[in-house]
Structures are given as C-alpha cells and as structure tokens.
Amino acid sequence: MPKLPRLTAVEAEKFLLQAGFKLVRSKGSHRIYMKENKRFVLPFHSGKILHPKIVKQLFEIVGEGKENLI
C-alpha cells in the first residue's frame, strides 16, 4: 500500500473545498465541513502536519484518489 501524503490543515481545507464541502462552523481550532449528509472535522493548527489517520479519513470521505490532490 502506498504511503499517504503529508498534509497541513491548509492543504486539506483546499482539498475539501474543491470536493464540494462547505464550511459549516468552527469551534476552537476545529473546523466542521459538510456535503450532503457527510461531515468532516478538520483540526486546524497552522503549519502542523496532520496525523496520518486524519489524512486517511479525508481520502475516504472525499472518495477520490490522492493523485488528484496536487
């Protein structure tokens, strides 16, 4: 299995918005995005790399291959 890319919160947010997700609200350092009945909570800490489990969840909910990211 290929390795997941290392993403920052800004890059993940850009990917979510391109996939049609909308920013619904934010609470503290977490931003909540929705698309139809799918919800994704993105911990938004500037300049920090997201944990691989969060990156994996991002690709699962978006449903696209990571080749389309950048």
Side-chain angles (χ1 to χ4, degrees), residues 46-60:
S46 305
K48 298 230 177 173
I49 301 295
L50 294 174
H51 193 277
K53 287 184 180 179
I54 296 171
V55 175
K56 183 179 178 184
Q57 288 175 349
L58 174 67
F59 288 123
E60 286 174 355

Side-chain angles (χ1 to χ4, degrees), residues 15 59 62-70:
F15 189 55
F59 288 123
V62 169
E64 293 182 10
K66 61 183 173 227
E67 305 85 33
N68 299 332
L69 180 59
I70 296 176

Side-chain angles (χ1 to χ4, degrees), residues 20-35:
F21 281 78
K22 303 280 185 210
L23 177 64
V24 177
R25 63 188 174 95
S26 63
K27 183 172 184 179
S29 62
H30 291 79
R31 296 184 180 176
I32 293 90
Y33 296 88
M34 294 274 304
K35 179 181 178 182

Side-chain angles (χ1 to χ4, degrees), residues 6-20:
R6 297 179 54 155
L7 298 176
T8 62
V10 174
E11 294 167 338
E13 180 182 44
K14 182 178 165 186
F15 189 55
L16 281 169
L17 294 174
Q18 286 177 351

